[in-house]
Amino acid sequence: MPALRNTIESYGLISILLHWLVALTVFGLIALGLWMVELNYYSPWYKLAPFWHKSIGLSLAAVLVARLLWRLTNPQPKTLPSHRHWEVRLAHAAHALLYFMLFAILISGYLISTAKGQGISVFGWFELPALITGLPGQADRAGAVHYWLAMGVLALVALHILGALKHHFIDRDTTLIRMLRPGSTNTKESHNE
C-alpha cells in the first residue's frame, strides 16, 4: 500500500490526490464559468450552472486550505540533483503565485455573488452569509478580477505543465513521475518502465 504522507524522498498519496483534485476542479470551474456566462435567461442552466459553480468553488476553498495545511505539516521531497537553482526558485515562486491567485479568485467570486446582499447556498446544505455588500461597482469590479485572474491561472498552469513535461522528456528525471505515483524517489531513474 502506498504511503499516505510525504517523505524527504517522495510525495505521499494524500499530497498527490490533493494536487490532482485541485487541478481538475480548477479546470472544471474555469470551463463551467466560461460556459455559463454565455447562457441566456431562457436556458434551463441559467440558474443551475451558477449554483454549481459557486458550490464547487466554495468546496475548492476548503480543499485549498486543507492542501496548504497538509503541505505545512509534511516534509517536502528534496529537489532532484538535475534541478537547476533557477528552476527551483521559479517553481517555488510559481506555486506561491498560484495559491495567491486561486484564493484571490475565490474571494472575488464571493464578492460577485454577495454584491446584492444575498448569501451563497453551498449545494443546498448551508448558506455562506453575505458579509461584504454594497461596495461601489462590487459585482462588476470583482467580476473583472475573477475573470482575469482565472486567465492568469490558466497561463501559470500552462507554464507548470510545460515545466513538468520538460523534466520528463528532456531532463528525463522523475519530477513528473513523483506527482503521478506515490513513493517515487528523487533519484534519476528511467521512466520507461
Side-chain angles (χ1 to χ4, degrees):
M1 179 170 196
L4 295 179
R5 297 179 62 83
N6 298 348
T7 68
I8 60 167
E9 294 296 325
S10 64
Y11 288 104
L13 183 61
I14 293 176
S15 290
I16 292 172
L17 290 176
L18 286 171
H19 173 271
W20 290 109
L21 177 62
V22 168
L24 293 173
T25 304
V26 166
F27 280 124
L29 283 170
I30 290 173
L32 178 58
L34 291 173
W35 174 70
M36 75 181 193
V37 296
E38 297 299 322
L39 297 173
N40 65 39
Y41 182 77
Y42 300 103
S43 168
W45 291 96
Y46 184 75
K47 291 190 178 190
L48 196 55
F51 168 80
W52 285 104
H53 187 80
K54 294 171 193 178
S55 294
I56 295 168
L58 288 170
S59 299
L60 176 63
V63 172
L64 279 172
V65 169
R67 185 169 183 214
L68 275 174
L69 291 173
W70 186 256
R71 185 179 172 102
L72 293 172
T73 59
N74 272 271
Q76 292 301 298
K78 61 186 175 186
T79 59
L80 297 173
S82 61
H83 291 173
R84 295 173 189 89
H85 183 66
W86 67 268
E87 289 175 319
V88 174
R89 292 185 64 165
L90 182 61
H92 288 304
H95 281 108
L97 182 58
L98 193 53
Y99 277 112
F100 172 78
M101 290 172 78
L102 288 173
F103 279 111
I105 288 171
L106 293 165
I107 292 167
S108 63
Y110 173 82
L111 291 173
I112 296 166
S113 301
T114 60
K116 294 181 180 175
Q118 297 174 334
I120 304 169
S121 172
V122 181
F123 297 113
W125 299 334
F126 64 93
E127 186 171 288
L128 189 66
L131 300 174
I132 302 171
T133 63
L135 298 174
Q138 180 174 331
D140 291 336
R141 289 180 180 168
V145 168
H146 196 71
Y147 173 81
W148 288 110
L149 282 175
M151 296 303 103
V153 163
L154 283 178
L156 197 54
V157 166
L159 180 65
H160 183 64
I161 292 169
L162 287 174
L165 294 174
K166 177 241 183 219
H167 282 291
H168 190 72
F169 292 109
I170 297 172
D171 298 342
R172 302 194 58 78
D173 65 29
T174 59
T175 301
L176 179 59
I177 301 290
R178 291 188 305 172
M179 197 43 73
L180 294 172
R181 189 171 57 209
S184 297
T185 63
N186 280 329
T187 60
K188 188 171 182 170
E189 61 188 39
S190 171
H191 50 260
N192 295 324
E193 301 171 355

